[in-house]
Amino acid sequence: MAWFRCENTLTKTQRDFVVRKPITTIGRSAGNDLVLEDPSMSSSHASLVRAGDRYTLSTTGRGALYVNGHRVRKAELTDGDSVLVGAWQLTWSAGEHAPAADDQPAGATLQELEALVSLSGEMMRDTSPNRLFASLLKGLAALTRAEKGFVIVMQDGRRHLAASHNVENERLDITKVSDSIVDQVVQHLKPLIVSDAISDSRFGRAKSVVDLKLSSVMCVPLLHRNDLLGVIYLGNDSITDLFTDRDLALLQIYAAQAAIIVYNALMLNQLRLDNRNLRSRLEQSSQGEMIGTCPPMKRVYRVLRRVSPTDLSVLVLGETGTGKELVAREVHKLSLRKGAPFIAINCGAIPENLLESELFGHKRGAFTGAVTDKVGKVEAADGGTLFLDEIGEMPMNLQVKLLRVLQERVIERVGELTPRPVDIRVVAATNKDLGELIKAGSFREDLFYRLNEITVDLPPLRDRGEDIKVLSQYFLGRYREQYSTSAKGFTNQALAALAGYFWPGNVRELENKIKKAVIMSDRALINPDDLGIQGNSRREIKPLALAQEEWKVEYIRKILDMNNWNKAQTARDLDIDARTVFRYIEKLREE
C-alpha cells in the first residue's frame, strides 16, 4: 500500500490519501480521485499510474508539477519524495499507511469537525435543494474517500434520485444504485455498510449488485422526526474494505446534521412551488370546482363540455361523496341557462308526505298548515336547472307526476287544477342501481329513460390514483389559509396512507379528514395519526391470480347474458373450449 500525506501550505490543513487504484487522478474538480481545492491548479492536473510496485506521476496538461524541488512532466516516485502541486505539498510514502497518533483519537478529528462545520455553513447559505445535495455529496466524498455518491429523496412514497457525485455524464440515473441495499435501509431506517458487496451473503446474489459490480458501499437514512426524507448512498466499484465503521459513524453525524437543513430547504422549496404553481395546476387538473386528472375524470369533463350546452336530461351515478352535486352545478354553469336559477332538492331527505308540496308547490288551504300559496322547487327552477339528488328515493306516486312534468312540461300545485307551464332542465343523481330498483318494481322504467338521456359515471376516490394527492394538497391549502395553522404538508407515511386507504366516503370523507388534521395538528407535516388512518385501514389487495380469476368469472357471466346463456355461442365468442365455459358456470352457481 502507498499513500500521500497532503498539506496545504497556505491554510496548514493536512490529510492523508491512500492510493488504492491502478490509475489515480489528481486535480481540483470533483471528478478526481484526489481532490485538491486550489484555484491555481488545473481541473485535472496530474495522474498517478501503478505498474507492479512502481508508481509514476505525470502531468495531464500544462499544470506545473514539482518533485523534490525540480519541475517535471513525469517522475517515478520513491519513499519520502516531496511533490508540490499548486499550494499543496504531497509527501509520498511507499509503506503501510500509518496515521500520526494525534490524527486518530477515539472521536472525530479536529479536521473532521472543521469539515462538518464548514459543510453545514455552506449548506445553510443556499436553500436550493439541488445545490444543497451537491455540496453535501462533495464534502462526504472527500471525507470518506468514496468514488461516487448519490442522494435519493422520498416523494409521494417513491424514490427520486436528486443528486449524484462523480457519475458519468453527470446524469441522474437511479439504475446506478443498488435497489437491494437501499431497500434494506428504507425498510429498517438503519445505516448500512457493506465491505465487499459481491461476496456479501445478504446482497451478493442481488441483480443490482452483480450488474453494478459493487465493492464498498455505505448507505444511511436522512431522518427528520422519524420521517424518512431519503438516503445518502456512497460507493466504490473497485475497492473492497474501503469504508470502516468509523466512516459510517461520521456519515451518520453528517446525515443527522444535513437532515435538518435539507428538511427546511425542501419545505421552503415546496411552499414556493405550491404558491407559484397551485393556480395553474388546478386549472389544468380541474373542470369548474371539480379537481382531478385521472382518465375517468377526464372522460367526465369531456362529457360535460359536450352535453351541458344542450337541453338533454343528465343522470349522474356515483357512490356517496363522489361529488354528484358538483357535476350538476357544472352542467348548469356551462349551459345556456347559467343566468337562470339552479334549484337542488334531496329526494331522500324530505318526508314523503311533504315531498310533493316541496316539488310542485301548493295552493292555500290545500291541506292543514297550508296557510299561503307556495311555489314548488320545479316552478322555482323555471328557465333554469332542477337537480334531483337521490332520485332512487322518490316514491312511486311522485315518479308518475315527475314523468308528466318531463313529458308535458307543465305542473299542478297541490290543491290546484290549473296546469302551469315550466321550462326546466333536469339533472338527477343517485348512488343506487336503478336497474335493480326497476326489477324490484320500486322505480319506473319509463322515468328512468326520461332521466337517462345522458349518463355521467363518477369514479370512486380509491380508483382515482394521483388525484388523491392533488385533492389532499388542495384541501390542505384551503383550510390552512382559513384556520391559519402551522400545517404545511404531509409526511411520506401520510401520503402513503392516503393512497392506500379505501375511502368509503370518497371525496367528502377525504375533505373532512384533512380539515380535522389541519385544525388539530401542531406539526408542520401531517402524519397518519393526524388523519386518523392506521396501518390496518388499508384497502384489501388481492393476489394477482385471484383478481384475474374473479375478473374472468364476471366477464364470462356478461357474455353469457349477452348470448342468453347459449354456452356454445359464448365459447365461440371468447375463443375458448366449451368445457371452460361449463367450468365457470359451476363457479357462478357456487356464488
Side-chain angles (χ1 to χ4, degrees), residues 249-432:
L250 282 172
L251 183 57
Q252 286 180 263
I253 295 172
Y254 272 72
Q257 177 76 8
I260 300 172
I261 301 171
V262 169
Y263 169 80
N264 291 329
L266 288 174
M267 284 297 302
L268 181 59
N269 191 59
Q270 185 61 48
L271 287 175
R272 287 172 176 168
L273 289 175
D274 286 347
N275 291 333
R276 188 185 311 145
N277 300 327
L278 182 58
R279 186 175 300 277
S280 61
R281 279 170 41 217
L282 289 177
E283 288 175 356
Q284 296 169 5
S285 62
S286 64
Q287 174 66 51
E289 295 184 21
M290 293 179 292
I291 297 170
T293 57
C294 67
M297 288 304 295
K298 288 182 177 179
R299 287 194 291 271
V300 169
Y301 301 158
R302 285 196 296 269
V303 171
L304 293 184
R305 289 192 285 265
R306 293 290 297 273
V307 171
S308 297
T310 73
D311 259 350
L312 292 173
S313 296
V314 178
L315 179 62
V316 187
L317 304 176
E319 296 179 7
T320 298
T322 50
K324 296 186 286 294
E325 184 168 347
L326 285 180
V327 172
R329 291 185 180 277
E330 192 63 19
V331 169
H332 177 70
K333 190 186 299 182
L334 296 177
S335 73
L336 301 177
R337 300 172 177 266
K338 61 184 178 181
F342 174 88
I343 304 297
I345 185 168
N346 189 324
C347 301
I350 300 173
E352 183 176 341
N353 60 332
L354 299 179
L355 185 56
E356 181 176 4
S357 173
E358 285 292 319
L359 277 173
F360 306 116
H362 61 252
K363 186 176 176 58
R364 178 183 177 185
F367 51 83
T368 302
V371 295
T372 60
D373 289 351
K374 177 180 178 180
V375 176
K377 298 286 189 181
V378 177
E379 191 175 350
D382 189 30
T385 303
L386 177 68
F387 175 50
L388 299 172
D389 199 8
E390 303 301 343
I391 188 67
E393 304 286 346
M394 181 175 282
M396 286 292 287
N397 64 317
L398 290 183
Q399 291 180 32
V400 175
K401 294 185 178 183
L402 177 61
L403 181 61
R404 184 189 175 205
V405 172
L406 296 177
Q407 290 175 334
E408 302 178 14
R409 301 294 167 171
V410 296
I411 65 160
E412 291 179 2
R413 292 182 179 178
V414 177
E416 184 178 75
L417 299 178
T418 305
R420 296 172 178 265
V422 290
D423 173 24
I424 60 170
R425 182 193 195 163
V426 174
V427 179
T430 183
N431 61 1
K432 296 183 178 295

Side-chain angles (χ1 to χ4, degrees), residues 567-568 570-572 574-584:
K567 290 86 169 172
T570 298
R572 286 193 292 271
L574 296 174
D575 194 23
I576 59 177
D577 190 273
R579 288 172 295 183
T580 302
V581 175
F582 280 101
R583 180 166 59 85
Y584 277 97

Side-chain angles (χ1 to χ4, degrees), residues 513-528:
K513 282 188 179 294
I514 291 178
K515 182 178 181 180
K516 174 188 172 185
V518 168
I519 295 171
M520 300 302 293
S521 177
D522 57 357
R523 304 180 179 92
L525 293 181
I526 291 172
N527 65 26

